Amino acid sequence: MADKQFKKKIGDALGNNVLRGALGRFGDAYTTAREKAYEGYDFKAISENIERVKSYAASHLDEMLDQFEREATTRGAKVYRATTGEDAKQYILELAKSQSVKRVVKSKSMASEEILLNKTLLAEGMDVQETDLGEWIVQLAGQHPSHMVLPAIHMTKEEVADTFTNHLNRLNEPEISELVKTARVELRKKFLEADMGISGANIAVAETGTLIMMTNEGNARLTATLPPVHVYLVGIEKIVPKFEDAGHIIQALPKSATGQKITSYVSMVTGQTPAYYPDGTVKDKEFHIILMDNGRRKMYEDEKFKKTFQCIRCASCLNVCPAFQLVGGHVYGHIYTGGIGTILTNFLNSEKDAQNPQNLCLQCGKCSEVCPGKLDIPEMILEIRNRMGEKQGLPFTQKFALDVVSNRRLFHSLLRTASIAQKPFSKGQPVIRHLPMFLSGLTEKKSLPTVAKVPFRDVFKTIKQDVKKRKGTIALYAGCLIDFVYPKIGEGMIVALNEKGYEVVFPDGQSCCGAPATYMGDRKNARKCAIMNIEALEAEKVDYVVTACPTCTHALIDSFQELLQDDPALVARAEELSRKSRDFSKLLFDLGGLKIGGDGEPLKVTYHDSCHLKRKRGVSAEPRKLLSDTLGVQLIEMNESDRCCGFAGSYSIKFPELSGPIMERKLGNIEATGADAVVVDCPGCLMQISGGLDKRNPGIKVIHTAELLLEKRKKAPKKNKK
């Protein structure tokens, strides 16, 4: 659970309208720019090449490092392998002292930020100057970078002008071209006076000992060429086997980082170059390369995190993250920010520093969709969360709630009780619009649905199924929300599947899929839920297991096997369940859909893509076809249809201050379509969006695909008037 100080950081960031505006504008512009930059390129093929090259280098790491050192040394470099950040800092410090270094210029290096190198050098009385424009701005402002590629993205031109004015003691107007000109003038003399240059690198080529930098300002070239001593500080994950392998990263990095086809400068340094001294002397440059571990091997050797070596540090995961776009990088606390930053912080700094930031992840999966290194960042963050839960335990209230949820009889009896106890708050309405006292925040931005008077498991017993030409049997897995909040969704599923020739059974012993426990870091209770449902569903006896909740689908197909991997008998049953489990819309589409027919009444609808359905299951076109082809409704696509609605299970309770703005953006996109209804395939999204629209625009209906099919097809068609 996030602590109070962390919550305060979030509150301060949300209250900073300048920050929100800067991040929002960039986020909106980035998506379009990235799409345009990748036009004509096969992103999937590029990503697969990066995965191949980087995974090979990582799995042959010592061989690659030996080859790089051999080739670089042959060409005049002095290569040092630093096990820790302290080793790296000590090497640079001793080198600086031996060369009587007083003035240092640095081009952009997140590795140097990672180990707080500037602080060490400044403490020894050296003048250390950042020369990347963003890094220089941040340095003058007394801050650290808020973004791996765009260090000063959180600052406006007015703030930059004020920073320059305070530092230079002369007025600077907030004109970008003038601010850049000022920086160029001020920094040029720093290059000429410097005794040492320090750089990072984007790529290290083992085959030739070459270091490659991609920049837009030319400062990296000046840093590498003008000072008589030059040091490259490079993380060992930057290694690639061959020179031609670098091309894949050069293709992807600028497009993914800033939406450029290519950066202004691609600099390649292979070996020692001459150094020109003010007195006219020319001699070979002191050229040093530090290959730094600092926790990277530990990260790679962990089976769950080895793919982090495929990260090319483009920061596209930050650029599309709904949480990052709201609060920026400084809330994350350490040097590396966003989703990948949380993982890096956990290994390269400390688990303690990653504890609060990992909570910011919505698990929406958008980052993985755009990652050119093919990293499943949400799954890695989830693993960190679960490990922390196992090591430290959860707060009492969370643990108690999850213990209740994993106890089927107790959980269900409490839900039945809640259907009666909620009456004073619902006042006869199907929603709760106001809650008292400390619970009032839950209904500030949205209403909440009431618990159904009769749960689906009871409704099911009264349904007479009409199955013609029976083809088989399907077990319906309802999950918590369909069972106890939205039973009509279950009714719609049965009618549709009956029409396809399948009898539907409802195993009574089923309960929560365990997703709340999984996403809150309680693997023990998630495992209990997995076992309970495997035993209840008896997948061996049916043709399919169907659910209309994508989070539940993900649990049935993916999570149960992992949770039970230490028990061969249960794993076998989990695999059988996984093979037979389907999301409702996907199954119905694969079975050939339904006969065309509806009530004939015109209806304009827009469709919201659930994060789990689209990105975990790859289902997006199928429900749209069911709506337009089967019911004949007018489908109007909304902007950002697959952007998270902000529900994310317990996230909306833990971080209502973040969930709210994310939801508001979704509601705005829905309203802009002019649709009569928004259709969803996730009960959680249904709860979030309908709750928000109930407060903001109750005229727009929110409905699940299964329920809309039921509603439109059960009504008798209207007769034409003569």
Side-chain angles (χ1 to χ4, degrees):
M1 191 71 171
D3 60 31
K4 289 182 180 178
Q5 187 177 4
F6 186 62
K7 280 278 197 174
K8 184 180 184 302
K9 281 185 177 180
I10 292 172
D12 290 344
L14 291 172
N16 185 337
N17 291 329
V18 172
L19 173 68
R20 292 275 300 276
L23 292 171
R25 286 189 295 273
F26 173 74
D28 292 345
Y30 168 79
T31 302
T32 304
R34 180 185 177 278
E35 288 176 0
K36 190 172 182 180
Y38 272 109
E39 284 178 0
Y41 293 87
D42 187 339
F43 175 70
K44 184 180 178 182
I46 293 172
S47 299
E48 287 172 352
N49 282 326
I50 290 173
E51 179 183 36
R52 174 180 53 80
V53 165
K54 297 281 277 179
S55 62
Y56 178 86
S59 61
H60 297 77
L61 186 58
D62 288 316
E63 177 190 332
M64 294 293 101
L65 293 174
D66 288 345
Q67 185 181 11
F68 178 88
E69 181 175 354
R70 186 168 58 250
E71 296 299 328
T73 302
T74 299
R75 292 166 173 78
K78 295 174 183 176
V79 180
Y80 177 72
R81 300 194 196 185
T83 304
T84 67
E86 287 302 317
D87 292 343
K89 287 193 288 188
Q90 194 59 37
Y91 182 91
I92 294 171
L93 189 57
E94 289 176 5
L95 174 64
K97 288 179 178 179
S98 71
Q99 297 293 322
S100 302
V101 169
K102 299 296 182 186
R103 294 171 293 275
V104 178
V105 288
K106 292 175 69 235
S107 67
K108 194 170 183 303
S109 167
M110 288 304 295
S112 71
E113 294 282 355
E114 174 189 325
I115 63 175
L116 305 178
L117 176 61
N118 288 11
K119 186 177 179 181
T120 298
L121 298 180
L122 289 167
E124 292 294 325
M126 298 178 202
D127 174 30
V128 182
Q129 188 69 61
E130 295 288 352
T131 64
D132 173 87
L133 178 58
E135 291 275 0
W136 187 53
I137 291 167
V138 168
Q139 183 183 32
L140 296 183
Q143 302 173 11
H144 63 76
S146 66
H147 190 284
M148 286 189 285
V149 175
L150 307 162
I153 189 176
H154 59 287
M155 297 179 70
T156 64
K157 62 181 185 294
E158 287 77 18
E159 289 176 322
V160 173
D162 289 343
T163 300
F164 280 13
T165 296
N166 294 336
H167 175 72
L168 301 173
N169 295 316
R170 66 173 185 271
L171 183 65
N172 282 261
E173 297 294 340
E175 294 290 336
I176 293 175
S177 59
E178 291 302 313
L179 293 171
V180 170
K181 193 180 295 182
T182 296
R184 185 180 294 118
V185 170
E186 292 296 320
L187 291 174
R188 188 55 56 96
K189 57 189 177 186
K190 296 291 185 180
F191 288 117
L192 296 170
E193 296 169 353
D195 307 306
M196 175 187 278
I198 299 175
S199 304
N202 299 110
I203 308 167
V205 183
E207 181 182 43
T208 57
T210 301
L211 294 166
I212 301 176
M213 299 145 289
M214 302 180 71
T215 66
N216 280 315
E217 300 163 25
N219 60 303
R221 288 189 182 179
L222 290 170
T223 301
T225 54
L226 290 177
V229 181
H230 188 221
V231 180
Y232 274 104
L233 180 59
V234 186
I236 57 175
E237 78 282 7
K238 299 295 181 71
I239 203 93
V240 299
K242 297 181 179 180
F243 198 86
E244 65 189 46
D245 297 332
H248 308 306
I249 298 171
I250 291 171
Q251 270 193 319
L253 185 55
K255 296 177 182 65
S256 291
T258 54
Q260 296 171 267
K261 286 190 180 291
I262 193 69
T263 52
S264 302
Y265 299 87
V266 178
S267 303
M268 303 179 186
V269 176
T270 307
Q272 205 172 25
T273 55
Y276 300 88
Y277 291 84
D279 63 0
T281 307
V282 180
K283 58 182 179 180
D284 286 340
K285 183 188 289 288
E286 280 280 335
F287 182 44
H288 298 255
I289 303 171
I290 300 173
L291 300 172
M292 186 171 71
D293 181 346
N294 199 38
R296 286 164 171 80
R297 278 184 189 271
K298 180 183 175 185
M299 186 163 57
Y300 177 76
E301 288 165 1
D302 190 314
E303 191 62 31
K304 297 285 187 180
F305 296 93
K306 66 191 309 176
K307 284 198 170 186
T308 49
F309 266 56
Q310 292 165 206
C311 172
I312 63 172
R313 302 294 192 272
C314 67
S316 56
C317 53
L318 280 67
N319 300 342
V320 299
C321 174
F324 183 89
Q325 288 181 7
L326 285 174
V327 300
H330 288 154
V331 166
Y332 287 80
H334 196 58
I335 300 305
Y336 295 110
T337 61
I340 188 62
T342 299
I343 299 163
L344 296 175
T345 295
N346 186 72
F347 282 92
L348 309 186
N349 197 58
S350 75
E351 290 180 7
K352 183 180 178 183
D353 283 315
Q355 187 165 2
N356 281 318
Q358 60 85 16
N359 282 297
L360 288 172
C361 177
L362 289 128
Q363 292 289 304
C364 73
K366 186 67 176 176
C367 53
S368 296
E369 192 174 66
V370 300
C371 175
K374 299 185 72 174
L375 276 68
D376 192 340
I377 294 169
E379 283 298 316
M380 292 184 193
I381 292 175
L382 201 54
E383 180 63 23
I384 290 173
R385 189 174 299 169
N386 276 282
R387 290 183 185 185
M388 288 178 175
E390 289 168 357
K391 186 181 292 188
Q392 304 165 13
L394 297 179
F396 173 77
T397 52
Q398 287 185 37
K399 187 71 173 71
F400 176 75
L402 294 173
D403 285 343
V404 169
V405 169
S406 64
N407 183 326
R408 183 180 69 83
R409 294 187 184 280
L410 176 58
F411 181 43
H412 290 180
S413 65
L414 287 175
L415 286 171
R416 290 178 185 275
T417 301
S419 69
I420 300 170
Q422 69 191 351
K423 289 180 180 178
F425 306 110
S426 65
K427 298 177 182 177
Q429 298 295 311
V431 295
I432 298 171
R433 295 191 172 94
H434 302 286
L435 284 172
M437 297 180 292
F438 65 93
L439 295 173
S440 61
L442 295 175
T443 52
E444 184 180 352
K445 296 283 187 183
K446 63 181 182 182
S447 61
L448 297 173
T450 54
V451 177
K453 292 178 183 178
V454 182
F456 177 71
R457 59 182 54 238
D458 292 349
V459 172
F460 178 80
K461 296 168 185 174
T462 69
I463 296 174
K464 293 181 180 180
Q465 298 190 44
D466 181 17
V467 183
K468 297 179 178 68
K469 296 181 181 178
R470 189 177 183 280
K471 297 176 183 175
T473 305
I474 295 176
L476 192 156
Y477 180 75
C480 305
L481 287 177
I482 294 174
D483 201 352
F484 287 92
V485 180
Y486 301 116
K488 280 287 183 186
I489 295 174
E491 293 182 50
M493 294 168 71
I494 291 172
V495 170
L497 295 171
N498 284 172
E499 186 176 324
K500 296 307 298 180
Y502 287 89
E503 181 184 353
V504 178
V505 296
F506 184 88
D508 224 34
Q510 65 176 278
S511 189
C512 175
C513 67
T518 297
Y519 294 127
M520 291 171 75
D522 185 354
R523 205 155 7 209
K524 182 179 177 182
N525 272 319
R527 180 185 165 89
K528 283 172 64 178
C529 290
I531 295 171
M532 175 170 49
N533 285 303
I534 285 172
E535 292 176 345
L537 291 168
E538 295 185 299
E540 302 84 358
K541 297 182 180 180
V542 296
D543 297 288
Y544 298 104
V545 176
V546 67
T547 172
C549 173
T551 305
C552 295
T553 311
H554 175 54
L556 299 179
I557 294 177
D558 300 318
S559 301
F560 287 5
Q561 295 180 72
E562 184 180 0
L563 288 165
L564 303 170
Q565 58 188 324
D566 60 342
D567 188 322
L570 283 171
V571 165
R573 296 192 71 186
E575 288 173 350
E576 180 73 3
L577 176 59
S578 177
R579 280 194 296 271
K580 291 183 175 178
S581 293
R582 302 286 191 279
D583 180 83
F584 169 72
S585 288
K586 173 64 172 170
L587 176 60
L588 190 58
F589 180 83
D590 288 348
L591 292 174
L594 300 175
K595 292 179 181 177
I596 297 172
D599 58 10
E601 294 182 2
L603 183 71
K604 291 189 295 184
V605 304
T606 190
Y607 185 79
H608 161 72
D609 288 284
S610 149
C611 297
H612 273 100
L613 189 60
K614 183 176 181 186
R615 284 187 271 277
K616 288 293 184 184
R617 300 269 56 87
V619 176
S620 178
E622 294 89 336
R624 287 172 166 83
K625 281 196 166 288
L626 288 174
L627 293 171
S628 57
D629 294 355
T630 302
L631 296 179
V633 298
Q634 182 185 351
L635 180 62
I636 306 167
E637 289 292 346
M638 76 169 86
N639 186 35
E640 302 176 324
S641 64
D642 64 346
R643 189 181 178 90
C644 184
C645 68
F647 176 63
S650 59
Y651 195 94
S652 57
I653 299 173
K654 288 193 298 183
F655 294 109
E657 64 272 61
L658 295 176
S659 175
I662 294 171
M663 177 187 70
E664 291 293 330
R665 180 167 176 147
K666 175 61 67 175
L667 301 185
N669 286 334
I670 291 168
E671 290 172 329
T673 66
D676 305 310
V678 54
V679 183
V680 301
D681 267 283
C682 172
C685 298
L686 174 61
M687 185 164 79
Q688 176 84 340
I689 295 171
S690 61
L693 285 173
D694 182 66
K695 290 270 188 176
R696 172 168 162 163
N697 194 338
I700 301 176
K701 185 176 185 176
V702 188
I703 190 166
H704 192 284
T705 297
E707 190 175 354
L708 184 61
L709 286 169
L710 174 71
E711 189 177 284
K712 295 283 281 181
R713 292 168 72 82
K714 290 291 277 188
K715 291 178 183 177
K718 290 186 176 181
K719 294 180 180 179
N720 293 326
K721 293 181 180 179
K722 292 183 179 179

